[in-house]
Amino acid sequence: MAREILPVADEAQVRAYARRLTLKYPRELALALVLHALAAVSGLAAPRLLGELVEAVAEHHADINVDTLALAIAGFVIVQAVLVRFAVFVSARLGEKVLAELREDFVDKILALPLSTVERAGSGDLLTRTSRDVDALSRSVRHAVPETLIAVVTGFFVVGAVLVVNPILAVPSLLAVPVLWIATRWYLKRARDGYLRENAAYAEMTEGLAETVDGARTVEALGLRDRRHRRTDRDIARSWKAERYTLGLRTVWFPAVEFGYVIPVVATLLVGGLFAAEGWVSLRDVTAATLYVQMLIDPLDRLLSWVDELQVGGASMARLLGVAEVKEDRVTGSARPGGEEIQASEVRYSYRPGHDVLHGIDLEVRQGERLAMVGPSGAGKSTLGRLLAGIHGPRTGSVTVGGVPLVELPLDELRGHVALVTQEHHVFRGTLRDNVLIARPDASDDDVRRALAAVDALEWVEQLDQGLDTAVGSGRTAISPAQAQQLALARLVLADPHTLVLDEATSLIDPRAARDLERSLAAVLDGRTVIAIAHRLYTAHDADRVAVVEGGRISELGPHDELVAAGGAYAALWQSWHGRPAHSIETTPMEAGPMDSAVPDGGSPPAVTPDADPSGAETAAEGASDQAVLTEESPDAESPDAQVPLGA
């Protein structure tokens, strides 16, 4: 499936947002400007006093008091240091406020993204925006913006001081303007696009590495190691090329800027000396003007040095703001469901234009029914499950609940009708209680315990020293993947929707534990509509009906016993699962490995996947979702359309 890069805001949007966010705190901004101005004015006293000292010594004035001048210079330096300290503090505090609001705004926009857009974009682009781009913007707001503010204010007053000393002595400084203007304009014209390409290349590299790690079992099972190496090498080469381009810009711009710094000092000193020799200006003015021009190098250097960081921050802000440009994938209507029956009619769906993965699906799920969907990896089970859960909207056809299209329901109301639980899960940083309460924040501890008991998790939770108060997540108490999946299922029980879509929800739990868990869920979910996408066939055995999905179509539909008696694809799979050959039936699409000798309690055969290897272990191909967890590129194509999903 081709990955879609999320939108990027244009320059006008970035400037407007930055201006609006900064002007939101006028008092803090005004205070910072005043303090920086006072600090700059304090710093102007020393060169003037030094100029008077030089002139007095040159003209042999006996009434000059060197100690007094030295103390005055020291006093102004101390005052300047104190003012700079408070100015930087106020600027940093303003920057943190702006950064905090920007981050909160970004998180709100990320959480509001349509799930279908997130899945199409993949993890690489989104992870890069939420990590690398946020970090880059943080550096800009914390350092580049305050330093630029200091440079602008200081530079303004230094230029003013040169003009006050003697306007003629300001003329030599203008020789640096063409050099700095041309070099900086050349750089800025290319830098933004260069940094955007650099971030995009980094996102693509992150995406490829994440896919390789997540699909490691698939890579090993299908012998894709060399292809993934080549993909990673290409991504690294693109990232290196993008970074080399921006580095090349800096290697041209920085030397030109450094040369521009030297010109005004040398020119002022040389021309000023000639003017002083002719008696047109005093030695005091030449000294003061030369020192002021020397002082101008620092703010100018700060300004131009941080321009590079501002370009990086601006590119990152454009990517962060671009998230808000994502269009909604659904239009909410006013109609409300008249029941809980789910119906799919002539449903077609594609991840890429012209490449349907579902082909004219017709399916009616009755209220209170338990439907199992089985089929080979990549047949379209997970995609169909997402359409039945309202995650995606069909390309053509309709998926309705109570006669109303799922994509026309508000998300809050939709989740009250149908919820999706996949084999993917996440443990949030916080307590176990917090992790379960995500589904219903107002639930009591008794409700939480009942939900955990329903999924056989209460026993191990109570064995922890702090029970529900145990801190979990990154850097805290570690829990196993199976336990994490139990927490996800407990959230589902607590949310209590009417229709549940379980997309291989117990695939990460060992077969015996999964069997016990599903028995617990059977009691809890009694009376609700359950659509279970699974590769353990006892789930299909227990269901009211079984839908066999092959090649994006439902090839068989009916109760377990009828499908076995019919002798079709499901019967072949069932016979293979029990270790009995089905010679008369084509079994290639759903071939199963030999049955494990152990039999779980209750007389059910062990959970062997349709794609199991001879040892009984699940293959990664079956563990990968139908929407292409792992993406490969054809060797001779670079375009996104050349990417084809494994198992989709």
Side-chain angles (χ1 to χ4, degrees):
M1 177 177 58
R3 294 300 188 189
E4 298 178 1
I5 298 297
L6 295 171
V8 176
D10 58 34
E11 293 184 59
Q13 291 173 311
V14 172
R15 286 196 298 267
Y17 185 86
R19 182 168 56 252
R20 183 172 64 253
L21 202 58
T22 302
L23 296 179
K24 190 173 181 179
Y25 303 97
R27 294 181 60 183
E28 289 88 343
L29 180 60
L31 180 59
L33 290 173
V34 169
L35 288 172
H36 285 305
L38 292 175
V41 171
S42 300
L44 298 177
R48 185 69 180 182
L49 293 174
L50 283 173
E52 292 182 358
L53 179 60
V54 170
E55 186 174 63
V57 171
E59 296 182 1
H60 305 288
H61 290 171
D63 57 347
I64 187 71
N65 191 325
V66 176
D67 292 340
T68 302
L69 284 175
L71 289 174
I73 291 172
F76 279 112
V77 170
I78 292 173
V79 170
Q80 183 186 25
V82 173
L83 289 171
V84 166
R85 186 268 179 196
F86 285 104
V88 171
F89 173 77
V90 172
S91 298
R93 187 170 59 182
L94 173 61
E96 289 297 331
K97 285 185 177 181
V98 171
L99 181 61
E101 182 154 343
L102 191 147
R103 278 178 162 170
E104 291 171 0
D105 191 26
F106 175 64
V107 169
D108 290 341
K109 291 171 182 174
I110 284 289
L111 295 178
L113 281 176
L115 185 54
S116 59
T117 299
V118 174
E119 291 183 342
R120 283 191 176 94
S123 59
D125 189 28
L126 201 55
L127 283 174
T128 302
R129 295 190 190 218
T130 55
S131 56
R132 191 170 189 256
D133 288 330
V134 169
D135 288 341
L137 187 58
S138 298
R139 288 194 302 272
S140 294
V141 173
R142 287 192 175 115
H143 304 294
V145 173
E147 290 290 337
T148 301
L149 185 64
I150 294 171
V152 170
V153 174
T154 304
F156 175 80
F157 281 97
V158 170
V159 171
V162 175
L163 294 174
V164 169
V165 168
N166 196 316
I168 296 177
L169 294 176
V171 174
S173 301
L174 299 178
L175 295 174
V177 172
V179 176
L180 296 176
W181 175 263
I182 293 173
T184 303
R185 186 175 178 81
W186 175 87
Y187 172 77
L188 294 179
K189 186 178 180 180
R190 295 163 174 79
R192 182 179 186 272
D193 292 340
Y195 285 118
L196 286 176
R197 285 195 297 271
E198 183 179 315
N199 289 342
Y202 190 88
E204 191 171 348
M205 182 172 63
T206 303
E207 175 75 28
L209 291 173
E211 286 175 348
T212 301
V213 173
D214 292 341
R217 294 170 62 195
T218 302
V219 172
E220 182 177 358
L222 301 183
L224 301 176
R225 182 179 302 176
D226 291 340
R227 293 182 64 181
R228 298 310 294 180
H229 278 166
R230 290 194 298 270
R231 160 74 188 270
T232 302
D233 288 342
R234 288 196 300 269
D235 290 344
I236 292 174
R238 279 192 288 266
S239 180
W240 176 83
K241 184 178 180 181
E243 292 196 29
R244 188 173 184 272
Y245 174 79
T246 57
L247 178 61
L249 296 180
R250 294 192 295 272
T251 56
V252 173
W253 182 54
F254 283 160
V257 167
E258 291 293 335
F259 179 69
Y261 293 158
V262 178
I263 294 175
V265 177
V266 174
T268 302
L269 189 58
L270 179 61
V271 175
L274 294 175
F275 287 176
E278 295 293 332
W280 297 342
V281 296
S282 66
L283 188 58
R284 177 190 61 188
D285 292 344
V286 173
T287 303
T290 302
L291 291 175
Y292 283 143
V293 171
Q294 177 68 33
M295 284 180 61
L296 189 60
I297 291 177
D298 180 63
L300 192 59
D301 184 55
R302 284 190 185 190
L303 179 62
L304 295 180
S305 295
W306 286 107
V307 161
D308 182 61
E309 186 65 39
L310 288 174
Q311 290 298 304
V312 177
S316 296
M317 180 179 281
R319 286 166 54 80
L320 297 182
L321 296 181
V323 174
E325 302 300 314
V326 175
K327 296 180 180 179
E328 292 290 337
D329 64 344
R330 62 194 68 212
V331 178
T332 303
S334 57
R336 293 297 176 264
E340 297 294 342
E341 300 83 5
I342 293 179
Q343 183 165 359
S345 302
E346 282 297 318
V347 169
R348 296 179 182 273
Y349 185 79
S350 64
Y351 291 102
R352 292 183 294 157
H355 296 79
D356 283 350
V357 294
L358 297 180
H359 310 279
I361 295 284
D362 288 303
L363 178 65
E364 181 179 353
V365 184
R366 298 183 289 269
Q367 184 172 344
E369 181 181 25
R370 304 195 69 174
L371 175 73
M373 288 198 294
V374 301
S377 179
K381 305 185 300 296
S382 292
T383 300
L384 179 56
R386 279 160 170 72
L387 266 68
L388 296 176
I391 302 299
H392 303 308
R395 184 179 66 80
T396 63
S398 65
V399 181
T400 62
V401 56
V404 178
L406 291 175
V407 293
E408 293 183 8
L409 292 176
L411 287 178
D412 292 342
E413 183 174 346
L414 173 63
R415 296 299 162 241
H417 291 281
V418 58
L420 171 70
V421 175
T422 71
Q423 59 190 344
E424 302 166 355
H425 54 268
H426 185 72
V427 178
F428 294 90
R429 189 179 175 90
T431 65
L432 285 171
R433 179 188 291 103
D434 295 336
N435 270 267
V436 179
L437 286 176
I438 290 173
R440 206 177 85 209
D442 59 345
S444 65
D445 279 0
D446 289 339
D447 294 330
V448 172
R449 288 189 174 89
R450 279 193 291 270
L452 291 170
V455 296
D456 294 338
L458 185 60
E459 181 178 354
W460 65 262
V461 169
E462 290 184 337
Q463 288 176 355
L464 298 172
D465 292 339
Q466 294 178 298
L468 290 175
D469 293 318
T470 301
V472 294
S474 177
R476 301 186 179 186
T477 301
I479 61 176
S480 69
Q483 292 171 333
Q485 189 72 310
Q486 286 178 309
L487 290 181
L489 294 173
R491 294 185 200 120
L492 174 67
V493 173
L494 199 61
D496 197 25
H498 188 278
T499 300
L500 307 170
V501 180
L502 307 178
D503 187 358
E504 303 186 23
T506 60
S507 65
L508 294 180
I509 303 175
D510 68 80
R512 294 175 186 271
R515 182 60 169 167
D516 293 337
L517 177 58
E518 287 170 356
R519 283 173 174 162
S520 301
L521 281 174
V524 174
L525 305 178
D526 184 41
R528 294 175 174 82
T529 305
V530 179
I531 302 170
I533 304 168
H535 51 182
R536 291 186 171 103
L537 290 191
Y538 55 71
T539 301
H541 179 275
D542 295 340
D544 298 323
R545 287 192 300 165
V546 179
V548 181
V549 182
E550 294 183 285
R553 295 178 174 85
I554 295 180
S555 60
E556 293 183 310
L557 178 64
H560 165 80
D561 292 338
E562 289 184 9
L563 295 184
V564 171
Y570 180 75
L573 178 62
W574 183 258
Q575 296 292 340
S576 266
W577 193 59
H578 281 74
R580 295 192 292 269
H583 301 292
S584 62
I585 300 174
E586 177 62 38
T587 61
T588 302
M590 299 177 131
E591 184 176 330
M595 182 181 68
D596 195 303
S597 60
V599 177
D601 295 340
S604 297
V608 180
T609 73
D611 293 320
D613 62 20
S615 66
E618 298 176 16
T619 68
E622 186 62 30
S625 72
D626 292 340
Q627 58 172 344
V629 170
L630 185 64
T631 302
E632 288 292 331
E633 294 182 358
S634 60
D636 57 349
E638 292 294 332
S639 67
D641 287 339
Q643 294 181 328
V644 293
L646 287 175

